[in-house]
Amino acid sequence: MTKTKTIFVCSSCGYESSKWLGKCPACNEWNSFYEEKEQNINARDIGKKERVKPKSLNIIESKEDVRIDTGYGELNRVLGGGLVKGSLVLVGGEPGIGKSTLILQLCNKISNKGKVLYVSGEESDKQVKLRADRLNINSENIMFLGETDIDRIDDEIMEMIPELVVIDSIQTMYSNEITSAPGTVSQVREITARIMRTCKEKGITTIIIGHVTKDGNIAGPRVLEHMVDTVLYIEGERYFSYRIVRTVKNRFGSTNEVGMFEMKNEGMCEVTNPSEMLISEGNEKYSGSAIVCTIEGTRPLLVEMQALTTMSVYGIPKRTSSGIDFNKLALIIAVLEKRASLPLGNQDVYLNVVSGMKIVEPAADLGIALVVASSFKNINIQKDIALIGEVGLTGEIRSVNLIDKRIKEIERLGLKKCIIPENNKKYLKEKHNLDIIGVKNINDALKAVGIK
Ligand code: TYD
Ligand code: MG
């Protein structure tokens, strides 16, 4: 009997190795290798047709992409103006984040234009029907197929030629040509390649749903990103209702886009004016809170930042932060101690971005510094001031990008004042109708809000 050959594959990037490795040499992911049966290479060449001759780019006819309106402004935005006809879109996210819900809502909108084939390997027809009822969806054009065998799905697509195909989810589908279990790298790749072939040939728009876990252990969307045209990720915190749809890759538009949704009882609802919602609950009376202006994708967002400092009862003070990187908080506390002479060494410091948003951009630094100082000194920062600026290690306030866009948003929301880096103020391109204060260093900024 011949021995079956096995290989070890990285579930994060697809790197193959003959033995198990703790750390992937290609993508540096830890503990991502698992065993798979080696595939016969020829199996991958199935479907190859006659030889295609190269031709000059000049003689190839180009035509504008036909875009399908998704019926949701926020989705159109992340897709770069609508769903491109014939494109392959991957929608990733943690389990339970709302992928199936959002895509079913999208199916409903597209079903006005033609048949939609919704293939689910995760839920039964009754479960999907229950969700559809909940979302008030009763289109005749949405066809449900509870199938996981790619051959049969392929046949069905060929027969129906629908306007849109949805595969929910890629991890549950399998191909008989591959011996490893559903959800493994080789299965997931093979199935995506098969779907891609069929849909590109017939010009059918396709959406593939894929689960990603936080630690990226399950083989999934990461290894598919290079095969598809567009990759969207849905992000959000489990205990908050906001969901951000982010473009990770887009062959037909910018990748710097985000769409905002809110998960409600009646499904995913668009949030067209997020800033208004994010700062609406601010409490005027207490110190340690301020409005900062951050950029998500290309869109400015105003969010409330809060800090609380208390005398530490332990030898080592405690610092916690949510929504902001912990090391960033530590760095800014150090700058406040050294450059602004605030003795925070014996203080516990808690930092929070209200409403579960995560901010990674440096323009929020000034906000972090000022809310911590505000709580420590117990002096309020007025609620009609917005803060923008990166804090450097010498205490300087460094300039940030897209300043005019940010100020416009602050102005639109009716705030009266903003504190921005001096260097940004010098080079403002547009006229703004609010009080703009330029600051050079952290001490200037503390003075500007009345803390020093
Ligand atoms: P789902 O779309 O099934 O997540 P995924 O496909 O990403 O795994 O959504 C799951 C969650 O959404 C579930 O916890 C219930 C919630 N939900 C609502 O809050 N409102 C709704 O209208 C629906 C359909 C689901
Ligand atoms: Mg689902």
Side-chain angles (χ1 to χ4, degrees), residues 5 7 16 37-48 177-178 189-190 197:
K5 256 196 172 169
I7 48 167
E16 293 176 4
K37 285 198 185 101
E38 196 168 47
Q39 297 306 322
N40 181 1
I41 308 275
N42 290 336
R44 296 194 183 161
D45 295 340
I46 291 173
K48 259 201 176 169
E177 280 155 22
I178 307 270
R189 270 198 197 145
E190 168 68 14
R197 225 174 287 143

Side-chain angles (χ1 to χ4, degrees), residues 99-100 122-123 131 168 211:
K99 299 181 293 297
S100 307
E122 300 213 329
E123 291 154 309
R131 175 179 296 130
D168 187 3
H211 296 294

Side-chain angles (χ1 to χ4, degrees), residues 67-84 89-92 98-110 164 207 230-234 243-247 250 252-254 257-261 268-272 299:
R67 299 217 180 229
I68 310 168
D69 178 12
T70 60
Y72 293 100
E74 294 295 289
L75 266 185
N76 288 346
R77 168 199 282 267
V78 288
L79 289 164
L83 202 52
V84 173
V89 180
L90 173 68
V91 177
K99 299 181 293 297
S100 307
T101 308
L102 183 64
I103 299 306
L104 191 61
Q105 286 173 244
L106 171 68
C107 289
N108 188 36
K109 301 275 184 188
I110 305 284
L164 174 73
I207 294 178
T230 304
V231 181
L232 303 181
Y233 274 102
I234 307 183
R243 300 284 181 268
I244 294 177
V245 184
R246 197 181 290 279
T247 323
N250 196 356
F252 312 106
S254 150
E257 283 302 345
V258 288
M260 300 274 296
F261 287 86
M268 296 272 263
C269 301
E270 285 183 283
V271 179
T272 44
R299 164 198 281 188

Side-chain angles (χ1 to χ4, degrees), residues 11-12 90 170-171 183 185 188 211-212 218-225:
S11 61
S12 174
L90 173 68
I170 189 79
Q171 275 98 355
V185 172
V188 163
H211 296 294
V212 246
I218 296 176
R222 296 268 149 73
V223 294
L224 302 181
E225 280 175 7

Side-chain angles (χ1 to χ4, degrees), residues 141-423:
N141 270 343
I142 303 180
M143 310 299 284
F144 177 86
L145 177 66
E147 183 60 78
T148 52
D149 182 347
I150 190 66
D151 290 326
R152 288 192 222 149
I153 296 170
D154 224 19
D155 292 345
E156 207 57 56
I157 297 173
M158 285 305 217
E159 209 180 297
M160 190 187 289
I161 310 286
E163 186 71 24
L164 174 73
V165 175
V166 174
I167 307 288
D168 187 3
S169 66
I170 189 79
Q171 275 98 355
T172 54
M173 305 295 158
Y174 74 93
S175 159
N176 281 325
E177 280 155 22
I178 307 270
T179 39
S180 53
T184 50
V185 172
S186 37
Q187 279 284 5
V188 163
R189 270 198 197 145
E190 168 68 14
I191 291 162
T192 310
R194 283 282 292 279
I195 295 169
M196 187 163 71
R197 225 174 287 143
T198 315
C199 294
K200 292 273 166 188
E201 208 177 295
K202 301 283 172 205
I204 301 169
T205 319
T206 314
I207 294 178
I208 295 176
I209 294 177
H211 296 294
V212 246
T213 54
K214 274 221 169 92
D215 51 3
N217 254 344
I218 296 176
R222 296 268 149 73
V223 294
L224 302 181
E225 280 175 7
H226 68 281
M227 302 173 84
V228 301
D229 297 315
T230 304
V231 181
L232 303 181
Y233 274 102
I234 307 183
E235 300 168 0
E237 291 288 318
R238 193 160 283 253
Y239 301 107
F240 289 97
S241 55
Y242 305 115
R243 300 284 181 268
I244 294 177
V245 184
R246 197 181 290 279
T247 323
V248 176
K249 164 182 175 179
N250 196 356
R251 283 187 182 145
F252 312 106
S254 150
T255 49
N256 272 332
E257 283 302 345
V258 288
M260 300 274 296
F261 287 86
E262 190 179 358
M263 180 61 102
K264 291 190 180 161
N265 271 343
E266 60 272 21
M268 296 272 263
C269 301
E270 285 183 283
V271 179
T272 44
N273 204 350
S275 295
E276 221 154 71
M277 203 171 54
L278 293 172
I279 62 171
S280 61
E281 291 169 39
N283 194 327
E284 298 264 339
K285 280 189 286 191
Y286 297 101
S287 60
S289 139
I291 309 289
V292 302
C293 184
T294 170
I295 295 265
E296 271 292 348
T298 55
R299 164 198 281 188
L301 266 186
L302 297 196
V303 286
E304 188 186 341
M305 180 105 58
Q306 293 183 340
L308 185 68
T309 63
T310 54
M311 182 69 96
S312 180
V313 290
Y314 304 106
I316 301 169
K318 191 176 165 170
R319 272 86 205 257
T320 58
S321 76
S322 92
I324 293 277
D325 179 30
F326 175 77
N327 294 318
K328 169 75 85 183
L329 173 64
L331 185 148
I332 286 177
I333 291 174
V335 171
L336 282 172
E337 281 202 67
K338 185 101 178 172
R339 310 290 173 206
S341 313
L342 292 185
L344 293 162
N346 58 358
Q347 299 284 315
D348 288 341
V349 181
Y350 305 91
L351 185 76
N352 182 31
V353 180
V354 176
S355 72
M357 289 278 304
K358 276 200 182 71
I359 305 181
V360 288
E361 48 132 38
D365 291 1
L366 182 61
I368 303 172
L370 293 191
V371 289
V372 171
S374 157
S375 175
F376 179 63
K377 291 277 191 181
N378 212 9
I379 298 173
N380 299 4
I381 298 174
Q382 275 164 275
K383 268 286 141 65
D384 57 356
I385 303 183
L387 309 171
I388 304 169
E390 180 180 351
V391 175
L393 291 186
T394 63
E396 84 275 20
I397 307 297
R398 308 174 68 91
S399 51
V400 299
N401 61 356
L402 302 169
I403 189 74
D404 284 291
K405 220 172 186 178
R406 295 181 203 248
I407 298 179
K408 252 199 205 142
E409 176 77 356
I410 297 169
E411 202 179 332
R412 195 178 68 79
L413 279 142
L415 276 71
K416 299 281 180 310
K417 234 190 217 180
C418 64
I419 297 178
I420 67 170
E422 178 68 34
N423 269 348

